[in-house]
Amino acid sequence: METTDLKAEFVRKYGRPPRVFRAPGRVNLIGEHTDYNDGFVMPCAIDFATRVAAAERSDRRIRLASLNFPGEFEFDLDEPAIETAASWARYVEGVAALLERAGHRLKGADLLIESSVPIGAGLSSSAALEVATGFAFASLAGLALEKWELAKNGQRAEHEYAGVRSGIMDQFASAFGVENHALFLDCRSLDWKPIPLRNAEFIICNTRTKHDLADGEYNQRRADCEEAARILGRKSLRDVCLAELEFRAGELSDRLLRRARHVVTENDRVLAAVKALNEGRLDEFGRLMDASHESLRADYEVSSAELDLMVEIVRGQPGVLGARMTGGGFGGCTVNLLEREASADFIENVSAAYRERTGIVPEIYVCRAARGVSEIE
Ligand code: GLA
């Protein structure tokens, strides 16, 4: 949908012109389940985004509607409490309520939301919604919030309004995205650096599956990591190296050992991946992606039959340098690194093979690294 159409729809609905804000989804290239362990990640923002058309009101009410979901919702900034609202609306309410709780005075507003980020596919449609609406609320109120504050506020909404104890990666990528660059982030210091993607071609394959237990399993993984760090007497698994983990393996149960081993080796892989990308060694980057998938599958146990199948099919194609699941797991997408010339028949071949084995038609997108949150003029 064109922005002019979204604006026209807004005018039809609310009778006055809006401003339009956008924030992108993200794909994580490497560094999975490391963010909440104070570790390293390397996502990039993608050119699918959530757009928020918004105009202020003279009172303190927020009215919201979405072009992706049915229903209209309304709440008052002075008593935000729509327990029964649809989950997308709850995120928006959380974002507003938490900004207010942090001491920002917002204005009432009418909102119309539209998103091209595939929903529930592990490409952070919820982070895009949190960052875009946070930015819209702040902009309408004339507040110049730092991107970090928008990102952290979105993460808090995830914790408090969706019950998922997520890390900072998704909201960070949505806020800070840089065109044609991956983002290398140290989740402890919050130092980050854009890394040019140059001629690396990343392709995203959506398995179009999602497993119900994902949120509970996610929180369980995080709890496992915290328990492992506690037993090892460290603040977080960021502070453990592989040699130490192997030396002290006997202190951990088999499960905690495998969880910790994933995190520790994944952090090492991210650092190696940054170096490989900077030096243009894409084959090495691909090998690290393959190893990441194996670790997520066997040690961290967050892959799924469909993700494993997609990875297997992709690796069988010519010109593929690496393939792995991306995001929280239990369904969603894989991210794949291809040689430049390889992609001509790739999409068709992978689609056909996956459909034949599962009966599901996958979606396949070429990833273009996009800029982070902004207003559309
Ligand atoms: C989800 C979370 C992120 C991160 C990934 C796994 O996307 O929201 O914070 O933990 O899973 O890497």
Side-chain angles (χ1 to χ4, degrees):
M1 175 183 242
E2 297 294 325
T3 301
T4 47
D5 296 331
L6 176 62
K7 283 185 174 171
E9 195 59 42
F10 187 97
V11 173
R12 255 196 299 284
K13 194 169 174 51
Y14 296 114
R16 60 198 195 289
R19 289 167 71 183
V20 182
F21 308 89
R22 60 164 277 290
R26 66 96 188 91
V27 65
N28 190 19
L29 303 181
I30 196 160
E32 217 66 83
H33 290 275
T34 45
D35 59 354
Y36 52 82
N37 289 298
D38 281 350
F40 305 112
V41 293
M42 201 201 301
C44 63
I46 54 179
D47 62 350
F48 294 121
T50 295
R51 280 177 298 180
V52 179
E56 64 181 85
R57 299 166 55 91
S58 53
D59 58 12
R60 295 258 296 158
R61 298 198 72 71
I62 304 287
R63 285 200 289 173
L64 51 147
S66 160
L67 295 176
N68 301 86
F69 298 102
E72 298 189 7
F73 301 91
E74 200 172 329
F75 62 91
D76 197 297
L77 286 168
D78 294 317
E79 38 186 319
I82 25 170
E83 295 292 320
T84 51
S87 64
W88 70 269
R90 214 158 38 233
Y91 282 114
V92 179
E93 188 185 12
V95 166
L98 291 166
L99 283 174
E100 286 258 325
R101 199 199 288 167
H104 303 295
R105 178 87 180 164
L106 304 183
K107 289 185 170 162
D110 292 332
L111 265 53
L112 183 62
I113 298 169
E114 183 273 342
S115 186
S116 64
V117 186
I119 290 162
L123 298 177
S124 296
S125 54
S126 61
L129 178 64
E130 291 149 10
V131 173
T133 52
F135 188 60
F137 288 134
S139 302
L140 291 184
L143 304 167
L145 290 194
E146 290 216 2
K147 285 184 179 179
W148 272 122
E149 188 163 3
L150 282 176
K152 288 178 184 170
N153 191 71
Q155 183 195 19
R156 271 194 296 275
E158 204 75 47
H159 288 201
E160 293 187 28
Y161 285 73
V164 183
R165 295 182 63 218
S166 61
I168 193 64
M169 169 171 69
D170 306 346
Q171 293 80 7
F172 157 77
S174 184
F176 287 88
V178 178
E179 240 174 286
N180 301 320
H181 288 70
L183 313 169
F184 167 51
L185 171 68
D186 176 337
C187 298
R188 171 170 277 169
S189 67
L190 299 185
D191 286 340
W192 68 280
K193 232 214 282 308
I195 315 270
L197 286 174
R198 291 199 199 90
N199 58 354
E201 172 126 307
F202 288 97
I203 293 207
I204 299 168
C205 296
N206 185 350
T207 64
R208 302 193 53 222
T209 56
K210 181 174 161 57
H211 297 278
D212 287 345
L213 296 172
D215 290 354
E217 291 284 347
Y218 184 94
N219 289 343
Q220 182 59 51
R221 291 301 178 286
R222 182 166 181 162
D224 281 354
C225 290
E226 287 165 357
E227 174 72 357
R230 194 189 58 75
I231 292 171
L232 296 171
R234 295 299 153 91
K235 186 157 175 287
S236 71
L237 290 178
R238 160 71 177 272
D239 303 311
V240 179
C241 69
L242 187 57
E244 181 191 4
L245 187 65
E246 281 168 352
F247 185 69
R248 299 181 60 185
E251 295 172 47
L252 298 174
S253 69
D254 173 62
R255 187 179 88 213
L256 292 189
L257 175 62
R258 286 184 295 117
R259 302 298 186 249
R261 187 164 57 202
H262 165 71
V263 173
V264 167
T265 57
E266 186 79 350
N267 276 331
D268 290 345
R269 281 187 287 271
V270 178
L271 297 178
V274 172
K275 191 156 182 287
L277 195 54
N278 276 330
E279 293 169 359
R281 287 182 296 119
L282 294 184
D283 47 347
E284 171 65 7
F285 197 104
R287 271 193 295 276
L288 293 162
M289 291 172 73
D290 288 347
S292 168
H293 184 81
E294 185 52 23
S295 176
L296 287 158
R297 186 190 68 74
D299 275 351
Y300 218 64
E301 297 180 285
V302 292
S303 189
S304 69
E306 295 86 357
L307 287 166
D308 291 344
L309 175 64
M310 188 63 93
V311 161
E312 177 198 317
I313 291 171
V314 166
R315 285 186 190 153
Q317 305 300 311
V320 171
L321 300 174
R324 58 180 290 274
M325 55 155 279
T326 183
F330 303 105
C333 294
T334 66
V335 60
N336 313 284
L337 178 58
L338 270 64
E339 283 169 352
R340 261 288 141 173
E341 314 73 45
S343 50
D345 307 323
F346 176 88
I347 293 181
E348 218 168 296
N349 293 345
V350 171
S351 292
Y354 183 78
R355 195 182 53 218
E356 195 183 300
R357 304 267 299 265
T358 60
I360 302 169
V361 181
E363 279 169 5
I364 301 183
Y365 332 99
V366 176
C367 161
R368 285 186 199 83
R371 69 181 286 210
V373 66
S374 63
E375 178 164 7
I376 303 176
E377 300 297 341

